[in-house]
């Protein structure tokens, strides 16, 4: 039951990142910062909601794999060594993260979902889980769906999940870490902190989850040397309660629809 709820993994993550943030803090910030309790609810409740969506994604992907994917492709992927499969899985998964993430920013209706994640104003490791379930499911569809369609081994995909789990907490962590010459190859905390910045120049930048060269390739990288982001969050006021945050996109969509209808009538 403990593993089902993820308490052991969470405890290990906490024991690693809390002291690391104390030792290598990028900003002066309290451990018991604003929104901490809400993020703990995200940590232990969101997983169940996301799981339902991921099960559907995987089921559809397996059907596509079995009914559409050419046998030659299946055999070619099966024949790949585990290490090669892992490399391909991470590369394919992260380009899926890049484009779904970019869509979440570019499409107004999708932004209302993703704004829940960007509402965090005091960034730390636990901010990684401050996401609307629809946000997570959409990004999983972009990253996980093609992996199961192509038929990579469960071990390779499981390794990707494990890597991404730790990467998500690391890049949100309140640590001063920029990777030096590798900053344009791998996503660092500095790289992702700029993505969360509310400063105008940094908006809609740095979408990749693991490989920053995707942003370099598609012209969305923002890493000014010698500078650090100072403020985080979104322009409009956001709820602080978990249930209100779940409702936020639907309220925003309804308000937008009402405004459009009113403008049309006038």
């Amino acid at each position: 039951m403990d593993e089902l709820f993820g308490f052991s993994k969470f405890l290990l993550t906490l024991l690693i990142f809390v002291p690391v943030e104390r030792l290598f803090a990028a900003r002066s910030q309290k451990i018991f910062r604003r929104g901490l309790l809400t993020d703990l609810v995200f940590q232990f409740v969101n997983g169940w909601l996301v799981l339902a969506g991921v099960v559907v994604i995987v089921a559809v992907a397996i059907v596509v794999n079995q009914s559409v994917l050419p046998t030659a492709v299946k055999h070619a992927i099966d024949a790949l060594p585990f290490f090669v499969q892992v490399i391909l899985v991470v590369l394919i998964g992260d380009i899926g993260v890049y484009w779904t993430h970019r869509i979440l920013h570019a499409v107004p209706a999708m932004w209302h979902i993703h704004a829940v994640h960007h509402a965090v104003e005091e960034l730390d490791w636990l901010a990684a889980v401050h996401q609307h379930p629809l946000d997570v499911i959409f990004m999983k569809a972009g990253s996980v769906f093609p992996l199961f369609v192509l038929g990579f081994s469960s071990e390779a995909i499981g390794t990707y999940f494990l890597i991404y789990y730790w990467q998500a907490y690391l890049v949100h962590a309140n640590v001063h870490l920029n990777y030096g010459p590798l900053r344009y190859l791998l996503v660092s905390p500095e790289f992702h902190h700029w993505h969360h910045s509310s400063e105008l120049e940094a908006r809609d930048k740095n979408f990749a989850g693991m490989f920053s060269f995707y942003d370099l390739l598609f012209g969305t990288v923002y890493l000014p040397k010698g500078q650090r982001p100072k403020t985080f969050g979104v322009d409009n006021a956001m709820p602080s309660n978990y249930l209100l945050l779940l409702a936020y996109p639907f309220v925003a969509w309804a308000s937008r629809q009402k405004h459009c209808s009113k403008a049309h009538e006038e």
Side-chain angles (χ1 to χ4, degrees), residues 127-199:
V129 301
H130 192 107
Q131 286 182 277
H132 197 284
L134 293 178
D135 184 344
V136 184
I137 291 169
F138 182 66
M139 294 186 73
K140 292 292 185 188
S143 60
V144 172
F145 183 80
L147 302 180
F148 280 95
V149 166
L150 291 170
F152 286 101
S153 70
S154 57
E155 292 81 7
I157 296 175
T159 301
Y160 168 64
F161 284 161
L162 182 62
I163 294 170
Y164 198 85
Y165 172 87
W166 290 104
Q167 172 72 353
Y169 285 113
L170 174 61
V171 297
H172 288 89
N174 178 26
V175 293
H176 179 47
L177 190 59
N178 62 25
Y179 293 1
L182 296 178
R183 67 208 299 261
Y184 291 110
L185 176 65
L186 301 173
V187 172
S188 65
E190 176 198 43
F191 180 94
H192 195 69
H193 288 190
W194 276 115
H195 174 74
H196 276 269
S197 174
S198 58
E199 298 165 49

Side-chain angles (χ1 to χ4, degrees), residues 248-263:
Y248 175 78
F250 304 101
V251 173
W253 291 334
S255 177
R256 182 184 178 88
Q257 184 62 37
K258 184 178 179 180
H259 178 76
C260 291
S261 299
K262 186 176 180 180

Side-chain angles (χ1 to χ4, degrees), residues 73-89 92 150-153 156:
V73 176
K74 295 179 184 178
H75 290 329
I77 290 176
D78 285 341
L80 293 173
F82 170 74
F83 182 69
V84 176
Q85 283 204 32
V86 170
I87 293 174
L88 290 175
V89 163
I92 293 169
L150 291 170
F152 286 101
S153 70

Side-chain angles (χ1 to χ4, degrees), residues 29-266:
Q29 193 168 285
K30 297 177 180 179
I31 295 176
F32 297 99
R33 44 101 175 151
R34 288 177 298 166
L36 180 66
L37 293 179
T38 298
D39 286 351
L40 288 173
V41 178
F42 272 103
Q43 172 73 38
F44 294 111
V45 176
N46 255 22
W48 295 100
L49 301 175
V50 171
L51 179 61
V54 171
V55 167
V56 174
I57 292 167
V58 172
V60 173
I62 291 173
V63 170
V64 174
N65 170 270
Q66 294 177 348
S67 60
V68 177
L69 194 72
T71 302
V73 176
K74 295 179 184 178
H75 290 329
I77 290 176
D78 285 341
L80 293 173
F82 170 74
F83 182 69
V84 176
Q85 283 204 32
V86 170
I87 293 174
L88 290 175
V89 163
V90 176
L91 285 168
I92 293 169
D94 202 45
I95 200 166
V97 167
Y98 175 90
W99 283 110
T100 50
H101 196 176
R102 191 165 176 175
I103 289 169
L104 285 162
H105 279 254
V107 179
M110 301 299 287
W111 169 249
H112 293 315
I113 298 172
H114 194 54
V116 171
H117 183 51
H118 278 266
V120 177
E121 295 181 350
E122 295 184 74
L123 207 62
D124 65 7
W125 66 281
L126 195 55
V129 301
H130 192 107
Q131 286 182 277
H132 197 284
L134 293 178
D135 184 344
V136 184
I137 291 169
F138 182 66
M139 294 186 73
K140 292 292 185 188
S143 60
V144 172
F145 183 80
L147 302 180
F148 280 95
V149 166
L150 291 170
F152 286 101
S153 70
S154 57
E155 292 81 7
I157 296 175
T159 301
Y160 168 64
F161 284 161
L162 182 62
I163 294 170
Y164 198 85
Y165 172 87
W166 290 104
Q167 172 72 353
Y169 285 113
L170 174 61
V171 297
H172 288 89
N174 178 26
V175 293
H176 179 47
L177 190 59
N178 62 25
Y179 293 1
L182 296 178
R183 67 208 299 261
Y184 291 110
L185 176 65
L186 301 173
V187 172
S188 65
E190 176 198 43
F191 180 94
H192 195 69
H193 288 190
W194 276 115
H195 174 74
H196 276 269
S197 174
S198 58
E199 298 165 49
L200 290 176
E201 297 83 359
R203 296 188 182 187
D204 301 327
K205 303 291 184 181
N206 300 3
F207 295 109
M210 293 192 189
F211 298 114
S212 53
F213 65 76
Y214 282 136
D215 283 278
L216 191 63
L217 177 65
F218 297 116
T220 52
V221 69
Y222 185 78
L223 274 174
K225 289 185 178 181
Q227 299 180 43
R228 297 187 200 178
K230 299 179 180 64
T231 56
F232 306 100
V234 294
D235 293 336
N236 56 291
M238 295 287 290
S240 58
N241 175 274
Y242 175 76
L243 292 178
L244 293 179
L245 285 165
L246 288 190
Y248 175 78
F250 304 101
V251 173
W253 291 334
S255 177
R256 182 184 178 88
Q257 184 62 37
K258 184 178 179 180
H259 178 76
C260 291
S261 299
K262 186 176 180 180
H264 181 72
E265 291 174 359
E266 294 175 351

